[in-house]
């Protein structure tokens, strides 16, 4: 899985801003301004650590969930193959049985239809939710009609068990991935608020020194949502000034919800 573009950008801006402020703070003459810059650095670095950890965990859990889904897909194919063999064997056994005139052919046909109501083509179209149920019914019939020790039945039982286990693992991994994403959402929101607050600290510090260079130190977070950012390398670079940049009024309530787009890791 790939890291979201918003997370890549925000983490980079937080790291670069902290580095720049460490350079600027000692050169700030006003003691209150210097302290404000130091607070901004502490805030950025303090929020960056849990944010980066949450991103890593979300990526890891997401990858595990994807791999678990791949395992389910492979196990489902094995079940489909096993069902096809089971179906063919049951049909062949039925026709051999009804060759005996003393056998109640109608009764055997009814049992076969109840046990294996679907041909292999229809079975393959069931999807994961119904596959296990239909295969379970087929196995119950086959164990009686063919015998529990029949090689085809044993093969089908193994495929069914592997499929069921793969589904359980996938469900657990998906639950973990959801939890990790929820933690990431919370950490992302905290990091974003920290960036906005740190920028306001910087704005206050530079105002004390009559310095208006905040755009070079910390771009407004609103520029991160600019539709041109993905295509324009200048806007994608947090060090570049942006026309119409808002210095103070970029609080969390004024910004739109970030659009999370995947990028190559």
């Amino acid at each position: 899985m790939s890291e979201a573009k918003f997370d890549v950008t925000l983490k980079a801006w937080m790291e670069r801003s902290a580095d720049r402020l460490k350079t600027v703070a000692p050169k700030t003459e006003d003691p209150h301004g210097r302290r404000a810059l130091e607070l901004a650095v502490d805030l950025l670095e303090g929020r960056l650590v849990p944010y980066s950890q949450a991103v890593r965990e979300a990526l890891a859990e997401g990858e595990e969930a994807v791999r678990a889904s791949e395992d389910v897909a492979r196990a489902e194919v094995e079940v489909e193959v096993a069902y096809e063999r089971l179906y063919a064997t049951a049909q062949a056994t039925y026709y051999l049985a009804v060759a005996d005139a003393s056998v109640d052919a109608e009764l055997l046909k009814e049992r076969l239809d109840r046990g294996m109501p679907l041909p292999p083509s229809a079975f393959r179209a069931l999807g994961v939710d119904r596959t296990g149920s239909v295969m379970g019914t087929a196995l119950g019939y086959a164990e009686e009609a063919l015998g529990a020790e029949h090689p085809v039945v044993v093969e089908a039982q193994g495929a069914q068990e592997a499929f069921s286990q793969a589904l359980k693992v996938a469900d657990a991994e998906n639950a973990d991935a959801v939890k990790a994403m929820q933690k990431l959402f919370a950490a992302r929101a905290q990091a974003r608020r920290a960036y906005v607050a740190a920028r306001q600290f910087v704005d206050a510090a530079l105002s004390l020194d009559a310095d208006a260079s905040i755009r070079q130190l910390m771009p407004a977070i609103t520029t991160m949502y600019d539709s041109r950012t993905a295509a324009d390398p200048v806007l994608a670079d947090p060090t570049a000034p942006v026309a119409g940049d808002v210095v103070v009024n970029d609080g969390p309530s004024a910004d739109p919800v970030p659009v999370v787009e995947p990028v190559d890791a």
Side-chain angles (χ1 to χ4, degrees), residues 123-134:
F123 182 82
R124 287 192 293 270
L126 288 177
V128 295
D129 292 332
R130 292 190 58 204
T131 293
S133 175
V134 174

Side-chain angles (χ1 to χ4, degrees), residues 40 71 107 140 247:
D71 291 341
L107 178 62
V247 175

Side-chain angles (χ1 to χ4, degrees), residues 41-224:
V41 172
D42 290 342
L43 182 57
L44 289 170
E45 292 183 336
R47 289 290 188 271
L48 183 59
V49 172
Y51 180 31
S52 298
Q53 179 64 27
V55 170
R56 288 193 296 270
E57 290 179 359
L59 289 173
E61 293 294 349
E63 178 63 22
E64 290 179 5
V66 169
R67 294 190 180 191
S69 296
E70 293 171 346
D71 291 341
V72 169
R74 285 191 289 269
E76 186 178 12
V77 171
E78 294 300 321
V79 168
E80 291 169 354
V81 172
Y83 181 86
E84 185 172 0
R85 288 168 54 82
L86 196 65
Y87 184 88
T89 304
Q91 291 284 336
T93 301
Y94 162 75
Y95 285 115
L96 286 175
V98 297
D100 185 346
S102 64
V103 171
D104 188 341
E106 183 177 351
L107 178 62
L108 291 182
K109 185 64 167 63
E110 290 176 353
R111 290 177 177 175
L112 175 62
D113 290 342
R114 289 196 304 270
M116 294 186 176
L118 299 177
S121 59
F123 182 82
R124 287 192 293 270
L126 288 177
V128 295
D129 292 332
R130 292 190 58 204
T131 293
S133 175
V134 174
M135 185 57 150
T137 300
L139 278 170
Y141 166 79
E143 287 175 2
E144 179 181 352
L146 305 178
E149 303 302 321
H150 193 289
V152 174
V153 175
V154 173
E155 175 193 18
Q157 288 172 333
Q160 171 78 336
E161 291 172 2
F163 178 64
S164 178
Q165 182 60 31
L167 281 176
K168 291 179 180 178
V169 172
D171 286 341
E173 294 295 348
N174 285 332
D176 290 342
V178 169
K179 291 179 181 178
M181 283 304 300
Q182 290 173 339
K183 291 180 179 179
L184 173 56
F185 292 154
R188 180 186 292 157
Q190 290 180 347
R192 182 180 173 282
R193 287 193 294 267
Y195 185 91
V196 172
R199 192 169 188 272
Q200 292 172 345
F201 282 148
V202 173
D203 180 53
L206 298 183
S207 295
L208 292 171
D209 278 0
D211 189 341
S213 61
I214 189 172
R215 294 177 184 175
Q216 284 72 29
L217 291 174
M218 296 183 71
I221 200 169
T222 51
T223 62
M224 201 178 299

Side-chain angles (χ1 to χ4, degrees), residues 12 17 19 28 32 39 43 68 75 80 86 99 175 216-217 230 257 259:
S17 296
D19 290 341
T28 303
H32 297 90
L39 286 173
L43 182 57
E80 291 169 354
L86 196 65
Q216 284 72 29
L217 291 174
V257 176
V259 177

